[in-house]
Amino acid sequence: MAAGAGERFGEDRPKQYLPLLGRPMLVWSVGRFAAHPAVTSITVVVALGEEDRAGQILSEHIPDKVGRIVAGGDTRQQSVSLGLRSLDAGSKRVLVHDAARPCMSDDLLNRLIDALDECDAVIPALPAVDTLIHEQDGVVDAIIDRVHVCRVQTPQGFTTGLLLKAHERAASRGFTSSDDGSLVYALEEPVRVVHGERTNIKITVAEDFPIAEAILEAQRKK
Ligand code: CTP
Ligand code: MG
């Protein structure tokens, strides 16, 4: 998913096109999938009008691996939905990933793919480690018990039919969410949770960039 505008990042172009250690963030994110033997095709969803530019960047860095480049929508949910609808009718399983998480490891991909052998929906999550509060008007309004609270990441894995159904249902009911697991949960279908990874950070604001570069550098040395 690379059709966002990166407003919180605050650069003149969307964050996924900015260079991280010399390669656009999009290339790092897509590259993880391109290098994995279980991934048979890759669809990249970009903003309407960015298809050619994204195609050039990807074919320069990852020739032969990217199948389709599809125009996304106004929200992430719409972008995912458009991407899903562009998949081949025979698609059985799909992993949905945000270009904003370029540091995802092969280990995480393997955990998700293995889980998909046994379930129809799987998401990576990490237990909350900070104390959690509800804040209102600059003061603590409530304390949230963090025992069962987790932070959810991408990639998320699904049987394609189930995720399509979840998106159709959400669209028809006007239900929106920032991830896909929530849409399957709303169908009252089970969503398995596997352990995420602390290094799979989401790049949201400019301060996240040097952290991602340090993570990628460390991964390169492994
Ligand atoms: N995304 C998308 N289509 C949208 C909005 C977001 O494909 N209409 C993608 C982004 O490109 C990103 C992922 O969804 O990879 C998660 O979104 P987020 O981190 O919020 O990125 P942006 O929406 O680009 O950033 P912002 O919300 O700050 O504008
Ligand atoms: Mg956004």
Side-chain angles (χ1 to χ4, degrees):
M1 306 314 309
E7 274 171 22
R8 285 169 292 176
F9 197 92
E11 267 281 339
D12 56 354
R13 47 191 173 146
K15 57 193 178 186
Q16 55 271 27
Y17 297 111
L18 299 175
L20 267 176
L21 298 183
R23 299 204 300 168
M25 193 198 308
L26 178 65
V27 171
W28 287 101
S29 304
V30 173
R32 305 286 172 151
F33 291 87
H36 198 287
V39 174
T40 52
S41 77
I42 301 172
T43 296
V44 180
V45 184
V46 301
L48 185 66
E50 297 280 353
E51 298 94 324
D52 290 347
R53 178 158 69 130
Q56 271 166 16
I57 292 169
L58 289 166
S59 59
E60 185 187 322
H61 290 90
I62 317 174
D64 308 331
K65 271 288 191 172
V66 177
R68 278 191 199 91
I69 298 185
V70 176
D74 290 340
T75 65
R76 182 188 181 282
Q77 191 168 317
Q78 284 167 357
S79 294
V80 176
S81 187
L82 288 161
L84 282 176
R85 282 189 262 147
S86 79
L87 299 181
D88 293 331
S91 165
K92 289 197 177 70
R93 306 194 297 183
V94 62
L95 292 157
V96 183
H97 185 53
D98 289 347
R101 291 187 191 268
C103 307
M104 181 237 348
S105 76
D106 274 355
D107 284 349
L108 179 55
L109 211 44
N110 289 335
R111 278 204 287 289
L112 293 161
I113 291 170
D114 287 350
L116 269 188
D117 284 337
E118 292 161 8
C119 69
D120 294 321
V122 58
I123 63 171
L126 282 178
V129 289
D130 299 316
T131 297
L132 299 174
I133 59 159
H134 193 277
E135 177 267 347
Q136 195 149 11
D137 303 326
V139 290
V140 178
D141 189 45
I143 306 292
I144 297 162
D145 182 0
R146 72 168 179 220
V147 171
H148 296 290
V149 175
C150 289
R151 297 185 288 132
V152 172
Q153 306 180 331
T154 69
Q156 300 185 353
F158 306 92
T159 50
T160 309
L162 177 64
L163 190 58
L164 270 166
K165 185 175 162 197
H167 271 267
E168 277 161 20
R169 181 79 66 88
S172 72
R173 299 196 171 174
F175 175 64
T176 57
S177 177
S178 51
D179 87 329
D180 299 285
S182 307
L183 307 187
V184 173
Y185 176 77
L187 279 184
E188 297 183 18
E189 292 289 339
V191 180
R192 181 172 304 182
V193 179
V194 296
H195 204 66
E197 56 192 6
R198 290 185 72 91
T199 47
N200 181 24
I201 63 165
K202 175 150 166 267
I203 295 185
T204 307
V205 295
E207 292 93 308
D208 298 329
F209 225 64
I211 302 171
E213 288 195 317
I215 293 168
L216 291 171
E217 192 76 74
Q219 287 173 341
R220 210 147 65 168
K221 285 185 189 139
K222 266 192 189 165

